[in-house]
Amino acid sequence: MTNPHWIYTQTIKTFAAGAEPGFEDPGELAATWGKVWGIDNDVGRIREILMHRPGPEMAVVDPSKRLPEIGSFGDPSVGWYFQSDTPPDIPLMQRQHAAFVAALESEGVIVHYLDGEAGNRLKQVYTRDPLIMVKGGAIICRMGARIRRGEELAVTRTLARLGIPILRTINGTGVMEGGSFAWLNDKTCAIGVGVRVNRDGAEQVRDVLARQGVELLIVDLVGYDIHLDVSFLMIDRDLAILNPMGLPFSFLEELRARGIRWIETDPADDGWIVNSLAIAPGRVLMPEGATNRTLDRLAAAGVSWVTIPYAEVQKNGGGLHCSTTPLIRDRL
């Protein structure tokens, strides 16, 4: 045959890739992107994780900028705030963060660090919020606080360096933060909507999940609670720890309908207990401050834990869960 157009079309037809298997197929991801990036649960063993060590960005905290009517430090004209009675002890924050990293590495977790200058974004240690990991890759969020806008760029650059697919970037008037996103199981996710996450942002996440066959539950947060992970955390395949005072009863009904049990925190627990991190099914890294009553309930449910001192980092407004984004978890 000498017809160039016929030769071209026959060649293209012969070597077309086709749509199947889908993008999220493990074999397809490994062949194209080098690893099976993404997660479809919140309790499978963590293999790789994203973190940021507190550093020069903390210098934005000016002890003279006290807001006595609120009881915090902050400068509304700039947008930064530090919700504590005392200024940050940066060396102590760094030691506690390093101990957390060491605990993860002792469990075999590969820790990746965020690229780029943090500027004055003092909450960049909380890598949970600028992105959401789903099947096959990441969704880049759009932060709901002025001091955090711009973290999205550093996260995007980091994901590009690591070779992690970006499936969506929240755009338009959508606002979304990863601390308000949770996997209940491989077919169901939840997003807490409130002052830092709006329905527009949640619906953009739903668009991605729907293509993966995943249902999204919208949870209306209480008052000015900023994230779902303040009140809810999966810690085993069908077990959560939660603070019912921060959740609507309708969400508890959804959990029960899906066969998810839960342990309610005790009023005497430190509130950051819910912001722990499940590193494997039934295995948790937990901050100090749990009562014996709560620990007894966890033990009775077959949960094991390692306690991590993290109080100084928590002063900045986030805990262990906030300070991590798992990039790869084992499927259940």
Side-chain angles (χ1 to χ4, degrees), residues 134-195:
V134 296
K135 299 176 184 180
I139 298 172
I140 303 297
C141 295
R142 182 168 181 254
M143 307 296 278
R146 278 189 295 156
I147 195 62
R148 304 205 66 177
R149 289 273 169 90
E151 291 182 33
E152 302 94 335
L153 178 58
V155 166
T156 300
R157 287 172 171 162
T158 304
L159 298 184
R161 172 176 60 83
L162 295 174
I164 299 175
I166 296 174
L167 308 184
R168 176 83 181 236
T169 297
I170 303 300
N171 55 68
T173 57
V175 178
M176 182 70 221
E177 295 186 350
S180 225
F181 177 86
W183 285 91
L184 306 186
N185 54 50
D186 64 347
K187 296 295 184 184
T188 314
C189 294
I191 288 179
V193 170
V195 67

Side-chain angles (χ1 to χ4, degrees), residues 265-319:
T265 56
D266 191 90
D269 285 328
D270 187 297
W272 289 111
I273 296 302
V274 176
N275 203 258
S276 298
L277 179 69
I279 55 174
R283 183 159 178 79
V284 179
L285 297 184
M286 178 182 295
E288 297 172 321
T291 62
N292 287 334
R293 287 186 292 274
T294 296
L295 296 178
D296 287 346
R297 293 172 190 145
L298 290 169
V303 176
S304 63
W305 61 88
V306 175
T307 301
I308 308 292
Y310 214 60
E312 194 65 26
V313 183
Q314 289 165 183
K315 288 181 180 179
N316 198 15

Side-chain angles (χ1 to χ4, degrees), residues 5 28 49 52 64 112 178 183 186 240 265 274 277 296 317 324 329:
H5 184 66
E28 185 81 357
I49 205 164
H52 173 76
S64 71
H112 299 283
W183 285 91
D186 64 347
T265 56
V274 176
L277 179 69
D296 287 346
T324 58
R329 281 187 185 268

Side-chain angles (χ1 to χ4, degrees), residues 10-28:
Q10 293 303 304
T11 302
I12 296 302
K13 179 178 70 173
T14 301
F15 291 96
E20 300 291 341
F23 181 91
E24 299 84 6
D25 176 79
E28 185 81 357

